[in-house]
Structure formats: structure tokens, C-alpha cells
Amino acid sequence: MPEFCDVAVPVPLDMVFTYRVSADTVPVVGGRVLVPFRQQRMTGIVVELHERKPSVATKNILAVLDSTPVLDAQLLQLGRWIADYYLAPLGEVFRTMLPLNAEFKRAIAYRLTELGQMALHLAGMFGSSARSKRSPEEQAAEFRVLDYLAACIPEDINASESRVEHKAAGGSATNGKGTASAVPLESATSRASAPEGAALVREETLRSATRVSRAALAGMVRKKWLTREDISAARDATRTIKIAQLKSADGKLNENQRKLLDTLTTSGGKVPVTTLQSLDVPRTTLATLVRRGLVEILDEPAEFSVSSSKPRPSLFDFDLNVAQQSALSRVREGVAARQYSGMLLHGVTGSGKTAVYLAAMRSVLEAGRSAILLVPEIGLTPAVAADLHQIFGDEVAILHSALSDRERAEQWHRIKRGEARMVVGTRSAVFAPVADLALIIVDEEHDSSYKQEETPRYHARDIAVVRARMANAVVVLGSATPSLESYFNAKKNKYALVELPDRVEQRPLPEVEIIDMRQEFQETGHEQVISRKLAAEIKDRLDRKEQVMVLLNRRGYSPVVLCRTCGKKLECQNCAIALTHHKREHKMVCHYCGFTAPVPKACVHCGSEYVYFLGTGSEKLEELLHGMFPQARIARLDRDTVRSHEDFERALNALNDGQLDILVGTQMIAKGHDIHGVTLVGVVGADVALGLPDFRAAERTFQLLTQVAGRAGRGQTPGKVVLQTYFQDHYAVQYAARHDFIGFYEKELQFRSWMHYPPYSALANVLVRSDKLDDALQWSGILGKWFDSTRHEGVRVLGPAAAPIMRLKRDYRYHFVLKSPSRENLNTTLRAMLAYAAQKKIPRTQVIVDVDALWLM
Ligand SMILES: [Zn+2]
Ligand SMILES: [Zn+2]
């Protein structure tokens, strides 16, 4: 029997840890174990059982959590490959591959006690106590906690969890510092007396709302103001949402209470609590009404509602044209051969790639094997889910971003048990534990949402190719605008190139007219947002009862607030980024970290009243269009108006049903929708990126312009695109206007070759960051000297330089860009650099290595 086992623990360290195995705790390779790690207990993955006695004392495994592997040999191998290629800690890679956090994460929540209520009451009456030993800041923090808890109505634990985790998924919360999936330490919970009906609030929620430390919360528990409860087991409940139900509307009511009850009455007596919380009344109002027995709070199951839109044409009868059929048979042949093959499906917008994907997946299902379809983040609407259920029945598992941890884990188990052999999902679905994998399809393979922007910084498209190779499966990368890398690989015969050159039913690609906005300025004498030509074309479409989309790839009202006296901009407190004015919400917002500030009446730097709001975002564009076309029905689609997949689909349905005349939006409107009534697409600002210091700017602009142009003329009436630009001579604009992917590709490739950029070089971005400027400077200096003093075979190192966004989310940022024709040399250099950084005690979480970085900002 092996005496030791090596465990990959989810910590930011590039190593595995050895533990001792006892007779009654024999783990399996690929299974989870509970181990002591520093002062914590953590769940790790066993990577090896062996007899090699380590030189240091070893601790025992605490528990074996799986009797069979959760990661099979192939997924373990894939994890190792990712750790090696992206220089990511193996334990963190495995954690990303396994969506099982919900099963072993410890959950702590707090509840207000009667003593706490009294303390809040006294503080409210007398203010902070001068005799207290605590500083005014500490007292204020405690007051915030008490106040927050008192205002909470008993809330659903799981609902608040999914909200918190949503935020983490999109932001910085897990930048390598990720929360370890620790296990409950004590199962017994303290049950100090808490007032009837006091809300139980999750630690994460409470801390993010009140910005207090764990230590401060512990202090308040000691004073018996709060109870601390372990609610890990509560995760077993299915996800529900809170519904407020009207019981009675009698009695004396103040204005706020009346407003709330009126809303309930007019909505049939029952609405989600979140709806009431979005009303302009204090949070406490609802709690008061509940206490008075006028309103009752109920749990109702929350589900990712399958679309309620009218039935869509059945996708069952794949009526494929010749090109589609030939693409399909290429995929089928590859699958039947049970050998790795890669294919790039390059089909123009509207050429029917999706039908090919679905038909190929159905034949895989009929053969009793498995397939994975990866889609970009915005692609999985309830309507798509409904279509997939219609085609694949219960055999499909859909992994969309609205799932809670718990639901994600359930889907994972369904797949693992072989109940769902068709998997459709965003980025991380590439790790789905399917058996007998035959086919992986990556739809819109150029989409940047496939790259994870936190550790491990993998690219799901590239992982799909590696996994397919390991599994002797077929991988299909599909796009109307393939990435330079993928097209280059196809040209080098690494993938078979399959083209769908025509739109279905011989529909023509739209005519594109370029409007030079510099000339427009000269002729009209002032800066225009909507050119005369675009205005005329929109009017024409409205007269003909046709529909229009207008793209402006920048949300908010005005992107810059400038002082005309001192010339300074209003910047974010945490980032070197101008704040954007959001008019309807009446605030200034940082689009990078979410920081908000009041709208300034005077310059914050010099006090001058001459502050100007410059530039145009989608919110202002919508307002302008309302002014120009008061009769038109206009809606906007961007991250401010779309909070969920349902919102997104609602807007598209409204357009589809002819309830809208104009849809304004950011790049969200460019992605893959098939709306037949749209005959005009106006592009108002899509070339902003061309001014950015990023070698992928031209590629991104070309892709965006081509994709948005592809929304026009997908029905019976041919489409037209009016493309306004300040860069009318730029090749990205010119080739997009001609729908000429090959032309763009050749030109861009030349530039990449001259500049030694991908696909001619492997590239990595090394970012050094710290919230202390001195540390960031010193560390990047240390690494810079090291790069200078050591020889690196065939690796170019640029830097250190201040990152284009020099300050982000409170961190100061410096970076190096490494380029090499040899990936092996590049990775050797990076590995040596990380070892040197560790030796110099630079924290691993502050040196971010981004291999194949998509952004150098
Ligand atoms: Zn000023
Ligand atoms: Zn910011």
C-alpha cells in the first residue's frame, strides 16, 4: 500500500504537497481529499500515490472525499498541460476545472441579536460614545453592520450567494488570491438568542456591503451583538427567490409604505422582493410592513426560465444547402475515424453555421457518443436553451452563467453519470466530464470571452484543441471572422479549412457605405454624432416600416468630463480611467472597477464651474435618436439595460416581433442574432479601438464591423450598412466594408510578421502590480534587472514600462512583454523569472503571467 500521496491544493504556489496516507484513508488518483494546509483545511486533488518519503515531516490526510476519481486520467493530463503552458498553479487549475465548490465550501452567516438591536438603538439616540475605547472609525463600522442587518428582511441565503458570486465571476475578486474551498471546521453552530425573524446574512454579502474586516465582525460576536452561524448545509436547499405577498392594506401608512403596497396591489398582490427593493423607498420600509403583518415573504423556486417567446421555427428539419451538407459530412467522417482532426469552419455571416453544428451533434448523439458546444458568453439565451432542449431532449446539459454554484454542480454530476452527453456552455464547459468525447465545437471562435482573465488564464478555444487531440476527437472552430491565429493554422494545414462562402438562400451581403466624419465636420461646421446620410437612411427605413440597428461601442452618456479651466479630467479614485457620466442614474461610473461618484457641478481639482461633458455614449445616442425621430419606437441594448439573459432576449424579441423600430447598442447587438426585419445598420462609433496602443486593435475592429454589418439584410429585403468613421483609410475599415476577410488577413499578417507578433511569435504579458507604488516600482525594477543580466535564447523582452492603464482597481501596474518564435524558450524564461521572483520574496499573486495575452492594457 502506498504510504504517501501528492495533492494539488488550490493555493497560488507552483507545487504539489505530500501527505501521509493511513490504512483507513486510501485516496484515489484524481479524487478529492481533505488536508490540513497551514491553519486551514482545504480540498485538494490527489495527483500521485507513492512510497518516496519526503525529507520534511508530513501531515496526514484528514478525509478521503471521493472513492472514484472526479477527474479522469485525460482531464488530469489536461490540467497538467494547462498548468505547464500557462504557468498556473496546478491546484488552481483543478479548482477551475471542477465546478464543485458548492459541495465543500464553508459558508458563514451573521444574524443580529437583541443586544445588537439595543446597541444600534442607543447609537442612534446618543451617537458614538466618547468614552469608548474604540476609535470613531471602528464605531462607525460597527454601526454600519448593525444598521445593515437591521434593515435586511430575512433573506434567502442561496439567492444572496448567487448575487455575490456573479460579481466575483466578472471582476477581480479571484485574481489569483481566490478563496480556498475550505470545509466546515465545526458542524455545531452557536445559537445565541436572536430576535424572531432576524435576517441571516452571508459573510461575503455583509462584508461587501459594509466594508468591515472579519476581525471587527468577530469582535461584535464576542460582544454578543451578532451571532455567527455555519450555514454550509443550507446549500442543499434548491435555489429560490423571495416573493412578497400582500396580506392586507389596512391601517395607517406613510408615503413610502403606501407606494410599496400600491406596487404590490397593481401587480396582482405578488412580486419578487428585488422588484420592491428597486423602488425609491428606504430598505427598512418592507421590513416594517412584514413586521406589521401587512406583507408576507414567501420562497418560490427560481429557474432559468425557458423562453416564453412565441414558438420559433423548428430546427429539427435541418434543410441544409450543398455547402452546409459538405461541411457536415467532413465533420461526420472525422468523428467516424476516431482520430484527432481539427477543422476551421469559415462561413460568412448568415451562412448557417449553427445548423451544421446541431446536425453534427445530433449524429454524435445517435452514435451514442458525446459532444461539447462552446458558445460566447452572451449567446446562451433562454430561447437557445429551448431550441437545444427541443433537439436533444434530456440528453443536453446547458452550462450558462446564470447558474448558481449548486446548479452548476448538479449539471456536472449529470454529465459525469452519463445522463447528459450533449454539453452546451460558455468557456469552462470545455472541462465537462463527458465520456467518449467525439466532437468539440467552438462557435465564434474569435470571441474574446473564451479567454479567462484570471488565474488560470486559459483560452478555451486552445484547450478545446488540446482536449480533442488527447481524446482522438474532432474539433470544429467556427466563425465569420476567424482569429488571425486560427486562420494562420488552417493555412499551415494544422486545421482543415472548410468554407461556407454564401448566405443561405442566396441572400446578398449588405452594401456598405463609408462616411468620412472629418469631411462631415468640414461641411457642416460642427461635430456630428449622426451624419446627414445616416439620418436620411434611418428616416427612409422608418417610412418603409423597416428596422434599424445603430452601434456605438461605448455605454453611458458622456465618456469624459473635462475642466476648461485647469484641463484636468474627472478620474476614478482607484484607476487611471476617466469616469463616465450616466445621466439616467445621475452618477459618474468607472467602467473598470465600478466606482461611482456624484455628478460634479464644479471641477474637483480647482473648483472651477466650467466643467464640460464631452463625447457620446449609447445612452446619449438613444436620446439623440429620440429627438430626431420622435415617432420611432427605440430601445437600447448594453450592459446598463441588460442585467440578465432574459432582458437580452426580451429586447431581441421585441425587435423580432416588430415592436421596435430602432435598436441602439454596444457590441452586444453585433453578436449572432438573426432578425429578419433589420435592413439598415448604422455604425456610429466602432473604430475607437483603432486609437488604442494594442496590436490586436485592427483585428478587433475588423471583426466588430464585419459582425455588425452581418446583422443587416438577413430577411427577404437586402440590407445596407452606413459606416461612420474617422479612420476611413484604415485597412480594417476598408476591408470590412468590402466583406473581404482574406484581404484583411493578408495585410494584417504582414504587420504581425514585421512586428514579431502572434501568430509569428509566442507572446506573454508579465504584469507586476501592487497597491503601493513603491512596491510595484521596486519589484518591476528587480525583474527588469534580472531580464537584462540573464541571457534568454531567442526571447525579446520589452519593459518594464508603465502599463497603458497604469492604475487599476487601486493597483499600480508595470509590465513586460515577452516575444519569442519558440514557445519552449518563452516558457523556460518565464519559469525562471517566477523562480527568481519567489527567491526575491515578490508575492506570487502580484506577478501575473499572461501567456497568449489578448489585452496588453
Ligand atoms: Zn479644474
Ligand atoms: Zn475604477
Side-chain angles (χ1 to χ4, degrees):
M1 190 196 76
E3 237 183 300
F4 300 99
C5 73
D6 286 352
V7 179
V9 180
V11 291
L13 295 168
D14 299 296
M15 57 201 293
V16 292
F17 299 86
T18 305
Y19 290 88
R20 187 182 292 278
V21 175
S22 66
D24 51 340
T25 56
V26 182
V28 290
V29 170
R32 289 167 298 177
V33 287
L34 182 63
V35 292
F37 188 85
R38 301 202 174 140
Q39 303 310 315
Q40 284 181 299
R41 298 173 173 205
M42 297 190 118
T43 325
I45 298 287
V46 177
V47 294
E48 197 190 347
L49 295 164
H50 60 83
E51 305 284 355
R52 305 185 302 274
K53 188 174 164 52
S55 54
V56 291
T58 45
K59 294 178 186 162
N60 286 327
I61 282 180
L62 299 171
V64 172
L65 304 176
D66 299 300
S67 53
T68 55
V70 286
L71 291 171
D72 64 20
Q74 226 168 63
L75 287 173
L76 279 178
Q77 190 193 351
L78 187 65
R80 282 205 176 89
W81 187 91
I82 291 170
D84 190 53
Y85 184 94
Y86 293 101
L87 291 101
L90 186 60
E92 297 198 325
V93 173
F94 287 148
R95 182 178 53 198
T96 301
M97 293 174 72
L98 279 174
L100 300 178
N101 271 352
E103 292 175 13
F104 292 100
K105 197 155 85 180
R106 188 173 184 215
I108 296 297
Y110 294 87
R111 203 195 291 271
L112 188 66
T113 63
E114 278 164 10
L115 267 178
Q117 266 185 342
M118 209 180 295
L120 175 65
H121 189 62
L122 291 174
M125 280 166 66
F126 303 115
S128 62
S129 154
R131 276 175 302 164
S132 169
K133 275 181 285 181
R134 292 162 294 133
S135 69
E137 290 76 34
E138 284 168 333
Q139 292 184 41
E142 290 180 349
F143 182 79
R144 283 201 303 275
V145 172
L146 296 174
D147 191 47
Y148 183 86
L149 286 174
C152 282
I153 55 158
E155 230 205 311
D156 172 64
I157 291 294
N158 288 305
S160 61
E161 164 204 44
S162 67
R163 229 180 14 243
V164 169
E165 287 182 358
H166 233 84
K167 212 162 65 191
S172 64
T174 46
N175 272 341
K177 299 172 187 164
T179 45
S181 45
V183 159
L185 286 171
E186 68 256 313
S187 50
T189 51
S190 55
R191 297 234 180 269
S193 86
E196 190 66 23
L200 190 58
V201 177
R202 236 168 226 290
E203 184 171 86
E204 301 92 308
T205 313
L206 185 60
R207 290 191 55 207
S208 77
T210 60
R211 306 180 314 281
V212 297
S213 65
R214 279 206 181 83
L217 289 174
M220 295 176 76
V221 171
R222 277 197 297 277
K223 283 189 279 198
K224 298 206 162 47
W225 287 358
L226 312 178
T227 59
R228 180 177 192 273
E229 302 180 21
D230 188 327
I231 51 156
S232 307
R235 288 165 168 270
D236 289 335
T238 48
R239 201 159 65 110
T240 55
I241 57 168
K242 290 286 170 190
I243 300 286
Q245 183 171 355
L246 185 67
K247 301 293 287 180
S248 158
D250 297 339
K252 257 174 68 180
L253 298 169
N254 67 27
E255 197 186 321
N256 286 329
Q257 293 164 344
R258 170 58 56 199
K259 190 167 173 184
L260 220 148
L261 287 185
D262 283 349
T263 307
L264 260 171
T265 314
T266 51
S267 329
K270 255 173 126 178
V271 295
V273 165
T274 48
T275 309
L276 298 179
Q277 283 168 343
S278 67
L279 296 176
D280 189 21
V281 299
R283 298 178 59 95
T284 46
T285 309
L286 182 58
T288 309
L289 290 174
V290 171
R291 242 187 339 266
R292 287 177 55 185
L294 301 180
V295 172
E296 189 181 30
I297 307 294
L298 308 169
D299 285 322
E300 289 200 354
E303 302 214 335
F304 183 67
S305 51
V306 165
S307 176
S308 54
S309 64
K310 63 177 186 222
R312 289 153 50 104
S314 171
L315 289 166
F316 260 111
D317 315 307
F318 301 116
D319 192 6
L320 304 182
N321 62 29
V322 177
Q324 286 172 311
Q325 245 154 23
S326 127
L328 176 61
S329 42
R330 296 280 294 268
V331 180
R332 281 185 174 153
E333 282 160 24
V335 167
R338 285 187 178 261
Q339 258 178 16
Y340 166 75
S341 66
M343 184 185 296
L344 177 64
L345 183 61
H346 175 213
V348 297
T349 55
S351 61
K353 293 183 285 294
T354 308
V356 176
Y357 302 153
L358 296 176
M361 288 173 75
R362 214 158 55 134
S363 63
V364 167
L365 183 62
E366 280 157 11
R369 303 178 65 196
S370 301
I372 299 173
L373 169 62
L374 299 182
V375 293
E377 243 151 39
I378 202 73
L380 268 182
T381 63
V384 173
D387 286 348
L388 291 165
H389 279 298
Q390 199 194 347
I391 298 168
F392 301 117
D394 292 339
E395 294 270 14
V396 68
I398 300 175
L399 305 172
H400 53 78
S401 58
L403 292 181
S404 69
D405 266 10
R406 170 115 232 121
E407 291 163 323
R408 198 170 288 277
E410 276 165 17
Q411 294 297 324
W412 186 92
H413 285 295
R414 275 186 68 219
I415 299 165
K416 180 82 176 158
R417 287 193 301 264
E419 291 165 19
R421 285 174 298 146
M422 299 288 107
V423 177
V424 182
T426 48
R427 189 169 66 223
S428 64
V430 75
F431 302 121
V434 293
D436 197 8
L437 178 63
L439 174 66
I440 310 183
I441 299 165
V442 185
D443 186 24
E444 308 291 350
E445 65 88 31
H446 64 278
D447 195 278
S448 59
S449 73
Y450 287 125
K451 180 78 159 54
Q452 174 149 302
E453 295 296 348
E454 59 188 51
T455 309
R457 296 172 174 258
Y458 70 92
H459 198 304
R461 174 199 59 214
D462 299 339
I463 302 307
V465 174
V466 174
R467 186 168 181 192
R469 191 172 283 138
M470 288 175 177
N472 285 325
V474 174
V475 64
V476 178
L477 312 180
S479 178
T481 51
S483 62
L484 266 266
E485 283 90 340
S486 293
Y487 201 77
F488 186 74
N489 282 333
K491 285 287 177 193
K492 295 249 168 237
N493 294 322
K494 274 177 85 178
Y495 307 138
L497 181 61
V498 178
E499 307 259 5
L500 299 177
D502 301 310
R503 285 190 156 184
V504 293
E505 294 170 18
Q506 282 91 48
R507 286 176 193 142
L509 284 164
E511 172 209 341
V512 180
E513 183 173 352
I514 298 179
I515 307 293
D516 181 351
M517 292 306 280
R518 290 167 303 184
Q519 197 182 336
E520 184 79 6
F521 175 74
Q522 277 167 8
E523 288 173 18
T524 61
H526 40 96
E527 203 85 15
Q528 300 289 343
V529 176
I530 295 165
S531 63
R532 293 161 300 173
K533 178 67 185 176
L534 179 56
E537 293 276 357
I538 292 175
K539 180 170 183 305
D540 180 54
R541 293 312 182 287
L542 294 177
D543 289 346
R544 296 202 320 236
K545 307 266 175 260
E546 292 171 11
Q547 292 171 311
V548 180
M549 274 189 185
V550 186
L551 173 93
L552 172 55
N553 203 19
R554 189 162 52 194
R555 63 195 175 93
Y557 195 82
S558 305
V560 177
V561 175
L562 187 72
C563 171
R564 287 267 153 101
T565 305
C566 71
K568 285 186 181 155
K569 289 181 202 159
L570 182 59
E571 280 198 349
C572 173
Q573 194 174 294
N574 309 319
C575 315
I577 293 288
L579 293 175
T580 300
H581 177 214
H582 286 244
K583 190 179 179 189
R584 202 186 56 184
E585 293 179 300
H586 196 64
K587 60 188 180 190
M588 307 297 300
V589 183
C590 172
H591 287 178
Y592 286 78
C593 74
F595 172 82
T596 62
V599 180
K601 293 202 172 58
C603 172
V604 294
H605 306 288
C606 72
S608 157
E609 283 170 23
Y610 295 99
V611 285
Y612 285 78
F613 293 75
L614 302 176
T616 305
S618 51
E619 190 185 358
K620 187 164 164 188
L621 177 63
E622 184 191 5
E623 195 182 278
L624 282 169
L625 285 165
H626 271 301
M628 293 170 77
F629 308 103
Q631 309 302 324
R633 297 162 300 171
I634 304 176
R636 171 160 56 97
L637 203 61
D638 58 30
R639 266 173 43 214
D640 298 315
T641 61
V642 174
R643 302 273 176 208
S644 67
H645 290 84
E646 280 87 355
D647 290 344
F648 184 68
E649 186 166 312
R650 207 170 297 125
L652 290 181
N653 281 342
L655 194 65
N656 220 355
D657 296 347
Q659 293 161 21
L660 285 179
D661 301 311
I662 304 178
L663 183 66
V664 175
T666 56
Q667 58 180 338
M668 258 187 199
I669 66 170
K671 294 196 175 177
H673 328 303
D674 197 17
I675 310 263
H676 287 196
V678 176
T679 57
L680 175 68
V681 167
V683 180
V684 165
D687 52 11
V688 189
L690 290 176
L692 297 178
D694 188 324
F695 76 94
R696 288 187 209 269
E699 183 180 9
R700 275 196 199 103
T701 303
F702 175 82
Q703 286 167 348
L704 177 59
L705 293 177
T706 306
Q707 295 283 349
V708 75
R711 298 314 114 210
R714 295 172 79 100
Q716 300 301 329
T717 319
K720 170 154 189 182
V721 179
V722 175
L723 201 173
Q724 299 184 180
T725 179
Y726 286 94
F727 299 86
Q728 81 141 348
D729 301 325
H730 197 289
Y731 60 94
V733 173
Q734 288 293 337
Y735 285 117
R738 277 181 252 141
H739 308 287
D740 184 358
F741 174 80
I742 309 292
F744 171 76
Y745 166 81
E746 299 287 349
K747 179 95 184 167
E748 179 68 7
L749 217 49
Q750 224 167 49
F751 160 74
R752 301 279 181 99
S753 152
W754 289 332
M755 303 297 287
H756 303 282
Y757 276 125
Y760 292 99
S761 270
L763 173 141
N765 192 28
V766 174
L767 188 80
V768 179
R769 64 171 182 194
S770 170
D771 56 357
K772 296 187 190 67
L773 178 59
D774 284 351
D775 283 348
L777 274 171
Q778 195 197 346
W779 295 336
S780 51
I782 290 173
L783 295 181
K785 278 204 194 88
W786 181 82
F787 278 125
D788 284 345
S789 63
T790 42
R791 277 197 52 77
H792 309 288
E793 197 80 20
V795 179
R796 288 159 187 267
V797 180
L798 310 173
I805 299 174
M806 205 259 180
R807 192 154 177 263
L808 187 66
K809 296 175 186 169
R810 289 170 185 262
D811 281 334
Y812 294 91
R813 309 160 80 242
Y814 289 83
H815 76 152
F816 300 87
V817 175
L818 278 66
K819 294 190 274 191
S820 174
S822 154
R823 185 163 295 277
E824 204 184 319
N825 290 351
L826 178 75
N827 278 19
T828 308
T829 305
L830 289 168
R831 199 159 284 118
M833 183 275 299
L834 281 177
Y836 183 74
Q839 192 189 323
K840 288 288 165 188
K841 302 270 186 280
I842 304 175
R844 175 69 161 94
T845 48
Q846 310 308 99
V847 182
I848 295 163
V849 175
D850 191 358
V851 175
D852 300 342
L854 287 191
W855 303 93
L856 300 180
M857 302 295 281

